[in-house]
Amino acid sequence: MLLEEAKVKLLTASETEDGLLAHIHDSYIQEIRTEEKVLTDALSELHNSGEIDLVKIVGSVDKSSRGHDFFTILNAFEGALPSLDASVENVLDCLVHLTQQAGRDLAIGGIYGAFENYCRVDAHRSRDSVKFILAQSDLSTYAPFLCGSILAFDSDSVTEAIQTTESLLAIENEIVRSQAYFTLGRLTIDEPQIDVIWELLSSNARTECESACCASILKSTLQFGEAFPSYWSQIEELLITFVEGASPEVLYAISDIVAFQRVDLPETIQHLLLKQLANVSPDHKGIIDNVDHLLVKLVKKEAYPLALELLESILTVGVGLPLLDYFSSELLSKHRELLNHIITKWFLSGESSLCHNVLNLLHDVTGKDIELKADMELLDDEVKRVFVSHKAVGWLFTRPIAAASFILSIYKTASPTTCKALEQALYNPLLLSYPRELKRFLQSGIDECIQEHLCKRLLEKLQDYHSDIEKVSGLKELMAPSENISAYWKESNKDMQVAYEEASKSSIIRQIATTQSLLYGNSSIYYVHQGNGDRVRQEMQMHSFSHSTEMPRLNVLDPESLDYLLRIYRYEELKK
């Protein structure tokens, strides 16, 4: 589409504001799919000629009435803004309106860069915008545009930009000061101004009390260090006291910087910042999300000790592994060797919180159950091998294949005495509780010649056990009265119904569909509404589906002994 043609269509649509905004949206979407980019020039030329007042029209947009079109119009306006001939006052009023309409949506972020580019076009715009912002009664609303105003100062006015920024540090409004600190780390400066900027950052870091301002100081200080690496030693000395007991705002800034590599940090400073994340609270969802990504990044870089140190530190303060879903998923799917190391290390520690997190880590594994292998480098004596095997049985009792595979990986290098203890743990309680699931697992071991003799012995012992049960199963003295059996299953069904109803409250099915209870029959009736208003009766046959899982048999046959044994395995301590 030619420029003149685009202008004509925009003018035709501008008979109403809604018509013009709708056309801007359609044209922007169309240009995404083509190589022709004329919308920005057409808008700026029509505005500068006075045929439309783009700033006024966009400044009255109501997000609630425009829906998703709002951000398309916003993007088009961002492209045209730097070339618009409009007063600083009108532009800032328009931008403040747009930010208020967008709320906390991150898509509004591009407007600040567009305003900075707008200020760069004419030198007086930067100075005028600073004066206009500071003169506002609602200073906090306009203050976020101070950084773009000052950064737009031309290269010959760097000293003036620094002086303007320094004057903002004396203002009581914390958003203004935060913008000033944010600006200090982004100014393009020459050799004479380096010490001035460092002095402003370091001196205010020792006196500033507001959390948001401290977060801005941290960001700017690290950006300053990246621009001038010779200052890293001084920055490290400053940060030792500055980040100690950091507020949630500062911790969020730290997590964002190290997780998404906003700054290329020296190893010593990175380690210093990572140590602060051990103080994160489980309530700080944003920080935990960043730490989740940071752990994945560290693992991809093979910085395993650092990742494990950070992981254990946040688990210690109560952050659960379910909150680290990205890291957990990556660990289970792509880093099996590290997973085995972590599980072995946590079992060997004997700490209940870490052992419980092993179960949390494997809780949501679906489909084929995961098989584990112990990290034998950590198990340098027979006592440790038996100890971690017991932990595997105790904590992974509900994941029998995971527990059995972990023990089998230890068995092949164990001493005869240890092998006997491991075989007993495999047989009782694992195999006796899960004969169906583990029978298939052990049979696969025989087929693949993995611990073939052990698997055969265990299956033979299981067969003997079942034969003995068959021999005594008919004895009336061992049979419970029918009334007791009926009462047991009645109570069990009641408990299952309560559990089902409780689980259904958070079911996604309840959120996307309504439920109906059928009193009789095997089909349901529903009506399809046609375009002409008629309803067509439809009948849908019901289909059955089922899911089964093996319940531990010892929990029925001898629940007290099973519970006692599992508690012993979970909480026993390693003999020194």
Side-chain angles (χ1 to χ4, degrees), residues 58 61 105-106 146 153 174 195 209 217 219 240 256 339 349 351 455 457:
V58 174
V61 170
D105 199 302
L106 296 178
L146 282 169
F153 275 63
E174 66 174 279
D195 287 336
C209 298
I217 290 175
K219 294 175 185 176
I240 290 174
D256 181 68
L339 172 67
S349 72
E351 292 185 25
C455 293
R457 282 200 308 274

Side-chain angles (χ1 to χ4, degrees), residues 263-314:
V263 180
D264 189 15
L265 300 171
E267 188 174 336
T268 54
I269 290 183
Q270 182 179 15
H271 194 70
L272 172 64
L273 296 178
L274 287 178
K275 287 173 61 178
Q276 308 311 311
L277 296 177
N279 301 317
V280 64
S281 165
D283 298 328
H284 298 151
K285 185 70 167 59
I287 302 175
I288 294 172
D289 286 343
N290 287 344
V291 172
D292 194 13
H293 283 80
L294 171 59
L295 288 169
V296 173
K297 189 182 83 169
L298 291 174
V299 168
K300 287 181 177 179
K301 292 169 59 178
E302 297 186 357
Y304 301 136
L306 202 56
L308 192 51
E309 180 184 350
L310 174 60
L311 175 62
E312 291 178 351
S313 67
I314 63 174

Side-chain angles (χ1 to χ4, degrees), residues 199-265:
E199 179 59 29
L200 286 172
L201 287 171
S202 58
S203 60
N204 283 279
R206 298 183 179 93
T207 58
E208 183 59 67
C209 298
E210 293 291 342
S211 296
C213 293
C214 289
S216 292
I217 290 175
L218 175 67
K219 294 175 185 176
S220 287
T221 300
L222 296 177
Q223 289 243 339
F224 178 82
E226 186 177 39
F228 306 102
S230 61
Y231 279 80
W232 277 126
S233 59
Q234 297 177 63
I235 291 173
E236 182 178 358
E237 185 178 348
L238 173 67
L239 291 180
I240 290 174
T241 55
F242 181 73
V243 299
E244 185 178 356
S247 66
E249 289 84 355
V250 174
L251 287 177
Y252 182 84
I254 291 174
S255 66
D256 181 68
I257 291 167
V258 294
F260 301 106
Q261 206 63 37
R262 307 295 188 191
V263 180
D264 189 15
L265 300 171

